[in-house]
Amino acid sequence: MKKTTLATLVGAAAFAAAGAANATIVVGGENGYEFSVDGNINQFFIASDQDSANGAYDQNNQGVANGLLPTFFGFNVKAPEINGLTVAARVSISPSTNNGSYFNSDNGNASGNMEQREAFATVDGAFGQIMLGKGLGLYAANNILLDQTLYGVGATSVIAANDQNTGTTSLGRIGWGYEYANWRSQIRWTSVDMAGFKVALAVADGDDFLEARDAAGYEKDARYEASLSYGTAFDGGSAKLWLDGMTQKVSYANLDSIKANAYTVGGQLVLGGFEAVAAYYDGKGQGIGGLGLGAFKNGGSDARDGDGYYAQLGYRFGGQTFVAGSYGESTLERDDSAAAGSNFGDLDTNSMYTIGVYHDVTANLKLVAEYSRMETEYHLQSDEDEVDVLAIGGFISW
């Protein structure tokens, strides 16, 4: 991306359960309550070589930072089943190891090195599961959780003058092949497994679009998300398919309301040592990466279309070493009101290919070596931005 920084991304965990009032929670206690902790610390040496479209931001950088995942430390509680219901909860903290972690201080959203991504409770029963609180959204969750760069770095926010700051985290493929699921305050229902099929519905706090939230008269509606998935296992492998969608209405600057809509479809196939993933998305009013950047066109009067995809193929040697390669693109339609060189109004396509080796030394230690080539094309410029990113590091988890 051009002359800006994106960050605040992804991790995956689970903090389960809260018990009855005044209950004593004991680790593995005889009263049936369970308590556990989990988490990770990851760190990478990251080197980048950048050639920008206009030559003004050509630079080489080296740094030390965490990757697409921040540090996670999660606390989980689970109550025993009572009257057919199991109550659980999770709270996690997500510190970044990066110096000067921030998201977008220009928009009054500066943050320190600590995030709160998960704080939710669940109730399980014959009806499925109800989730209340903050957790990873439904739309595009599988896209990011099955991406090889989840345990690496992927894209970085290096295209800015004298800056390789990855913010709180790097970007993985967010805006380079899929949109961001994001961590959302929500109420969600997930069905029981129905011969491999599952349905999930959620109402979530709506996005504050960067282009709108400071404008006079800006309003947002709740965000609605849905997911239909199918999973099956067979001798020597497994398969998973998903279809997700979202919708949200926004209005600002005394203009008519604009709806943001999107869907994504994808699948994963594991066969022997081979693992393949492919996903496609199409949306309107989402901007690049689903973060609201470049979401509107013609001075904000219309929602801007975007789509993208990624494909990944890997092989797992001996169950411990995963070698994978992937390619993905994210595209925005032209905004005729944008000037050449404008940040996201002029952006056409982000594309990136990644190759990586992810080796589990033990169950608690993963080593990673990853190379990515990022390219950004513009509607009104003949040249493109090109960035090579090499990352070497790994995870300690518990």
Side-chain angles (χ1 to χ4, degrees):
M1 305 194 182
K2 193 175 183 183
K3 307 173 189 172
T4 193
T5 300
L6 299 175
T8 314
L9 306 183
V10 163
F15 185 94
N22 301 318
T24 301
I25 300 175
V26 180
V27 176
E30 295 181 357
N31 57 6
Y33 286 85
E34 299 175 4
F35 174 77
S36 64
V37 297
D38 60 72
N40 83 84
I41 292 177
N42 72 93
Q43 195 79 327
F44 291 87
F45 171 80
I46 305 171
S48 63
D49 182 2
Q50 172 178 311
D51 295 317
S52 60
N54 57 14
Y57 297 97
D58 292 353
Q59 55 183 290
N60 296 305
N61 281 293
Q62 296 181 359
V64 178
N66 53 233
L68 177 56
L69 289 173
T71 290
F72 263 85
F73 202 108
F75 305 87
N76 310 284
V77 190
K78 183 178 181 181
E81 181 179 326
I82 301 175
N83 297 328
L85 299 178
T86 301
V87 178
R90 174 178 176 84
V91 175
S92 70
I93 56 175
S94 309
S96 171
T97 66
N98 301 355
N99 291 339
S101 299
Y102 64 90
F103 176 62
N104 195 328
S105 57
D106 292 338
N107 285 277
N109 194 24
S111 65
N113 289 17
M114 187 74 69
E115 288 187 14
Q116 179 67 64
R117 299 190 175 202
E118 294 172 307
F120 63 83
T122 58
V123 181
D124 287 80
F127 52 82
Q129 182 187 84
I130 300 294
M131 189 267 266
L132 308 169
K134 186 178 182 182
L136 192 64
L138 284 175
Y139 170 71
N142 284 302
N143 302 39
I144 193 168
L145 294 176
L146 297 177
D147 173 21
Q148 69 182 86
T149 69
L150 182 69
Y151 292 104
V153 171
T156 61
S157 308
V158 297
I159 299 179
N162 304 315
D163 184 16
Q164 193 207 26
N165 194 311
T166 59
T168 303
T169 73
S170 66
L171 292 171
R173 279 203 175 277
I174 298 170
W176 304 83
Y178 52 71
E179 295 184 319
Y180 186 28
N182 218 333
W183 305 91
R184 305 185 182 281
S185 180
Q186 60 188 287
I187 301 171
R188 179 195 298 181
W189 167 74
T190 304
S191 72
V192 297
D193 188 291
M194 300 173 289
F197 287 94
K198 278 191 175 183
V199 177
L201 305 172
V203 55
D205 192 48
D207 284 334
D208 293 323
F209 289 106
L210 298 179
E211 297 184 13
R213 64 184 178 201
D214 295 326
Y218 169 60
E219 296 178 348
K220 68 176 182 180
D221 284 359
R223 177 183 175 104
Y224 299 93
E225 297 190 335
S227 178
L228 171 65
S229 63
Y230 173 76
T232 185
F234 47 84
D235 288 342
S238 63
K240 184 174 186 178
L241 299 171
W242 63 89
L243 172 64
D244 307 334
M246 61 74 57
T247 185
Q248 180 190 343
K249 186 173 70 174
V250 298
S251 62
Y252 76 105
N254 299 316
L255 298 172
D256 293 336
S257 296
I258 299 173
K259 270 199 170 183
N261 301 301
Y263 75 89
T264 183
V265 59
Q268 179 196 41
L269 176 64
V270 178
L271 186 61
F274 289 97
E275 299 182 20
V277 180
Y280 170 81
Y281 75 88
D282 186 278
K284 179 186 289 286
Q286 286 281 89
I288 194 71
L291 295 171
L293 300 166
F296 306 118
K297 62 182 180 178
N298 300 328
S301 61
D302 297 303
R304 198 173 174 196
D305 292 326
D307 63 5
Y309 69 90
Y310 83 99
Q312 175 178 302
L313 179 63
Y315 188 84
R316 198 171 297 275
F317 294 88
Q320 288 183 288
T321 304
F322 185 54
V323 179
S326 58
Y327 176 82
E329 293 185 358
S330 288
T331 300
L332 285 177
E333 72 169 319
R334 179 170 173 171
D335 179 4
D336 292 328
S337 65
S342 62
N343 284 337
F344 295 99
D346 186 25
L347 190 148
D348 180 7
T349 303
N350 279 339
S351 62
M352 181 176 74
Y353 64 79
T354 299
I355 56 174
V357 180
Y358 312 84
H359 176 66
D360 294 324
V361 179
T362 70
N364 305 100
L365 176 61
K366 181 189 294 288
L367 300 180
V368 177
E370 188 181 81
Y371 167 76
S372 295
R373 170 77 169 189
M374 306 158 54
E375 296 180 354
T376 298
E377 299 177 359
Y378 303 96
H379 290 287
L380 302 177
Q381 299 181 71
S382 58
D383 295 328
E384 62 183 18
D385 293 326
E386 298 176 346
V387 186
D388 297 292
V389 181
L390 175 66
I392 299 174
F395 284 72
I396 292 176
S397 59
W398 58 92

